[in-house]
Amino acid sequence: MSAMKSTSSALSRIFLRTFLENYKQNALPTCCRCLSSAAPNPKQSWTDKYKTKKKKIQEKSEHVTVNQHAVFANNETSLKHIKVYGFDYDYTLASYKQELHSLIFRLGKDALVHKYKYPKDILKFEYSAEFAVRGLHYDIRKGLLMKLDSFHNIQLGTVYRGMQKVSDEEVIKLYDGTHVALESMNTFYGLGPMYQLVDLFAPPEMTLLTEVIEYFRENDIQYDPEYVFYDVRGAVQGIHSNGLLHNSILTNLEKYLEKGPKVMSLLENLMKADKKLFLITNSGFPFVDAGMTYMMGNDWRDLFEVIICNARKPKFFNEASRPFRIYDPSLENVSWDRVNTLIKGKVYQEGNFFQLRQMTGWYGSKVLYFGDHVYSDLADPSLKYGWRTGAIIPELETEIEKSNTLKFQGAVHWLCCLQDLIEESQEDRDPSVTILRNEWLKERDELRDYTKSLFNPHFGSIFRTYHNPTYFSRRLARFADIYMSDITDLLEYSTCHTFYPRRMALPHEHPPYSDL
């Protein structure tokens, strides 16, 4: 880990000494080949273009900032047409503090040692919040953690065996290139070995998995990566299913759960605008009730027309065989009566989408449902039933903060221009230009690594693999009409607001805002 951090910091220092100083001071380019005065004419011509583009960027050094608490649209969405608002609970209405990931890691390693009989040294592991990011894929057969782009390509430089980076040459040899076939995918699409760790509880699970593998490798312990994956997954998922995680959170809500007036204000505003509200969560009612009462008071149930707990998403949206049951909070049990009507004030368990639609008449694009899990919460409502969907992506706030920095924007702007130069110069076969272009390619690779390191030194941004969207980002764009960092970001907009997606230039179109 220390070696990787030092490499990243060294890269940052090198870049800051060259590009950023020149960017701020309007200095000439730092490429030694481009500064040569004795270059042949073809090379000098391209050198002049390089200087001209760099100078334009230096003169156009405006700093643009994006609102971290804005709502962003993948698909045009008019709130004026939304009559019904639905919400998940965990990481949607309830926002958790970073301490929750440390708790999951600790409970997971305890289960791994005491239930699965892993070495007791694992209890000494410490959680590193800086290692993994959400949306990564784990190859259970090869034991590799990596980031894929939207075309199923592996982003070289983001492949890890344990905590050690795997060389590009080895990755290409293992996968016969960098492409992962569709039949190798898992999690929503396919039944192959490539599992995506996509929910917000995934980072501690990924970190525990990689630390266990690193321990085995350091201590020459033979292991099957598939067994290790399922053991770690069983340990972490087990603390959810057996109630241990929920009970631990309930003992100290203040430590793990954010509290503030904004969620209550949002729900009350929607009610005043005659919007119907419902809650569908996989968590049990006692856990949800404790959290909602902590955040909003004892009368929180009055805000919702329908409350559904233990919903079993995504099965809730796919299986018509499981009917609703009434849950009695005072007795903490469920009734045996058939449910024919959903009554405000009652609490329901299980059920299915088809009965919900039949009993409420809520259907199609007049329903907007919010959740944090792009598959369990958003995929089926969006693809199958025409609900409008909103994704809550807490990491978005930090990502925007980093992309708002001058050093990131300057690097990306020059990276785009440099890539244009590389592309334009390809048909010039002059040997001196080929040498120059190779220098530009090295500079481009340094810029790519630098911009990646600004987000996470190991895996970069959860939304990008250099110029392509990540696999996670592509699914987000497909399944979520709008997305934001926090549900309370909606408070900045009226209930008649329309969210418009940006017009993005297709590869065959001229970029609408480009003047370089």
Side-chain angles (χ1 to χ4, degrees):
M1 289 291 288
S2 60
M4 289 186 285
K5 289 181 179 178
S6 62
T7 300
S8 174
S9 61
L11 176 61
S12 298
R13 288 196 298 271
I14 292 170
F15 185 84
L16 287 170
R17 282 202 306 268
T18 55
F19 177 80
L20 290 178
E21 290 178 1
N22 293 323
Y23 185 83
K24 292 177 181 178
Q25 299 171 9
N26 289 339
L28 287 175
T30 58
C31 174
C32 62
R33 294 188 177 276
C34 293
L35 294 176
S36 171
S37 60
N41 286 337
K43 178 181 175 182
Q44 187 62 50
S45 174
W46 287 108
T47 299
D48 290 342
K49 288 184 179 182
Y50 178 102
K51 290 180 178 180
T52 300
K53 283 183 176 286
K54 178 65 76 67
K55 185 177 180 181
K56 281 187 177 182
I57 291 177
Q58 292 165 350
E59 293 172 348
K60 189 182 173 66
S61 58
E62 58 182 317
H63 184 202
V64 180
T65 59
V66 175
N67 181 3
Q68 294 169 262
H69 300 289
V71 174
F72 303 93
N74 292 316
N75 189 25
E76 185 173 322
T77 303
S78 175
L79 299 184
K80 179 174 63 177
H81 302 305
I82 303 299
K83 307 300 181 185
V84 186
Y85 284 74
F87 304 91
D88 182 30
Y89 174 70
D90 292 299
Y91 280 108
T92 301
L93 293 177
S95 296
Y96 292 100
K97 300 177 182 179
Q98 183 62 42
E99 285 79 3
L100 180 61
H101 281 183
S102 297
L103 173 64
I104 293 171
F105 184 86
R106 176 172 60 81
L107 295 177
K109 70 180 182 180
D110 287 349
L112 205 57
V113 171
H114 296 121
K115 181 179 178 181
Y116 292 85
K117 308 305 179 184
Y118 273 57
K120 290 184 179 180
D121 283 344
I122 288 173
L123 295 174
K124 301 175 184 177
F125 290 176
E126 297 292 334
Y127 178 58
S128 172
E130 290 76 32
F131 179 67
V133 298
R134 184 156 61 123
L136 300 177
H137 283 78
Y138 183 76
D139 188 330
I140 64 173
R141 292 176 188 161
K142 295 182 173 68
L144 301 177
L145 185 67
M146 68 192 73
K147 189 166 78 169
L148 301 184
D149 73 8
S150 55
F151 297 97
H152 294 201
N153 293 315
I154 301 167
Q155 182 179 4
L156 295 175
T158 69
V159 182
Y160 283 79
R161 181 182 290 111
M163 308 297 284
Q164 304 303 316
K165 185 185 292 186
V166 180
S167 70
D168 295 349
E169 293 76 17
E170 183 178 354
V171 172
I172 291 170
K173 183 177 180 180
L174 286 170
Y175 291 93
D176 293 325
T178 60
H179 185 259
V180 177
L182 181 62
E183 57 266 24
S184 296
M185 302 302 288
N186 203 311
T187 316
F188 194 76
Y189 289 122
L191 297 172
M194 196 70 74
Y195 277 76
Q196 188 180 23
L197 297 131
V198 72
D199 63 36
L200 279 157
F201 300 116
E205 180 181 348
M206 286 184 279
T207 303
L208 180 58
L209 176 63
T210 53
E211 289 195 10
V212 168
I213 291 175
E214 184 68 15
Y215 174 83
F216 284 168
R217 288 171 57 80
E218 288 180 347
N219 291 276
D220 295 322
I221 299 173
Q222 296 299 311
Y223 68 95
D224 185 317
E226 191 164 353
Y227 284 137
V228 175
F229 171 79
Y230 285 118
D231 287 347
V232 171
R233 166 143 288 200
V236 174
Q237 297 298 322
I239 67 173
H240 290 77
S241 58
N242 65 15
L244 180 59
L245 178 62
H246 283 179
N247 290 336
S248 299
I249 294 171
L250 292 178
T251 60
N252 198 342
L253 285 172
E254 185 177 1
K255 181 177 181 179
Y256 300 112
L257 188 59
E258 299 282 3
K259 183 180 181 181
K262 287 188 174 182
V263 175
M264 184 70 164
S265 297
L266 171 65
L267 299 180
E268 288 178 337
N269 287 354
L270 293 174
M271 286 191 67
K272 291 175 183 176
D274 287 330
K275 308 299 182 182
K276 304 293 185 183
L277 310 182
F278 68 92
L279 174 67
I280 303 179
T281 173
N282 285 351
S283 294
F285 180 77
F287 179 73
V288 174
D289 183 49
M292 292 292 278
T293 300
Y294 172 76
M295 293 187 294
M296 291 186 273
N298 293 323
D299 298 329
W300 70 269
R301 288 162 58 185
D302 297 338
L303 297 166
F304 296 92
E305 296 291 319
V306 177
I307 298 171
I308 303 168
C309 298
N310 289 48
R312 306 171 305 115
K313 294 177 292 182
K315 290 181 179 179
F316 179 89
F317 295 112
N318 292 294
E319 297 181 1
S321 59
R322 192 69 67 96
F324 285 108
R325 302 185 74 176
I326 298 175
Y327 177 83
D328 188 331
S330 61
L331 299 177
E332 296 186 354
N333 65 12
V334 292
S335 70
W336 294 274
D337 297 339
R338 179 179 293 277
V339 175
N340 296 309
T341 306
L342 298 177
I343 302 171
K344 184 173 183 176
K346 299 286 187 181
V347 178
Y348 298 92
Q349 285 193 174
E350 302 185 55
N352 61 76
F353 166 83
F354 306 99
Q355 285 192 336
L356 175 67
R357 180 174 59 186
Q358 177 187 0
M359 295 180 190
T360 62
W362 300 338
Y363 63 89
S365 59
K366 68 179 180 180
V367 180
L368 173 55
Y369 183 69
F370 293 93
D372 67 284
H373 199 299
V374 293
Y375 299 141
S376 297
D377 291 326
L378 308 180
D380 291 318
S382 173
L383 295 179
K384 294 182 178 180
Y385 311 122
W387 284 7
R388 309 312 294 268
T389 51
I392 307 302
I393 312 294
E395 303 97 329
L396 183 64
E397 183 175 353
T398 301
E399 293 250 345
I400 293 175
E401 179 184 3
K402 292 176 179 178
S403 65
N404 276 343
T405 60
L406 182 63
K407 58 186 178 181
F408 174 78
Q409 293 180 10
V412 168
H413 202 171
W414 176 235
L415 176 60
C416 293
C417 289
L418 185 61
Q419 185 159 296
D420 286 344
L421 275 172
I422 292 168
E423 184 175 11
E424 292 168 10
S425 68
Q426 288 181 107
E427 298 307 315
D428 192 329
R429 307 301 173 85
D430 186 282
S432 64
V433 176
T434 300
I435 294 172
L436 181 61
R437 186 165 51 251
N438 288 334
E439 290 293 324
W440 290 348
L441 286 167
K442 291 178 183 178
E443 184 179 356
R444 182 205 62 176
D445 291 344
E446 290 176 358
L447 283 166
R448 283 179 165 184
D449 289 339
Y450 175 71
T451 54
K452 169 194 158 195
S453 71
L454 291 176
F455 294 94
N456 177 288
H458 316 294
F459 301 102
S461 166
I462 71 170
F463 297 103
R464 279 196 177 275
T465 56
Y466 299 139
H467 50 282
N468 285 339
T470 59
Y471 189 94
F472 172 82
S473 184
R474 186 66 169 264
R475 297 301 173 267
L476 174 67
R478 182 66 184 90
F479 302 144
D481 293 292
I482 56 177
Y483 65 99
M484 63 214 74
S485 64
D486 191 281
I487 191 68
T488 60
D489 294 339
L490 284 169
L491 281 168
E492 301 300 317
Y493 305 89
S494 75
T495 54
C496 294
H497 189 89
T498 298
F499 298 103
Y500 295 97
R502 293 181 182 178
R503 180 182 176 89
M504 305 298 290
L506 299 173
H508 65 275
E509 296 177 328
H510 179 71
Y513 306 112
S514 175
D515 58 356
L516 288 174

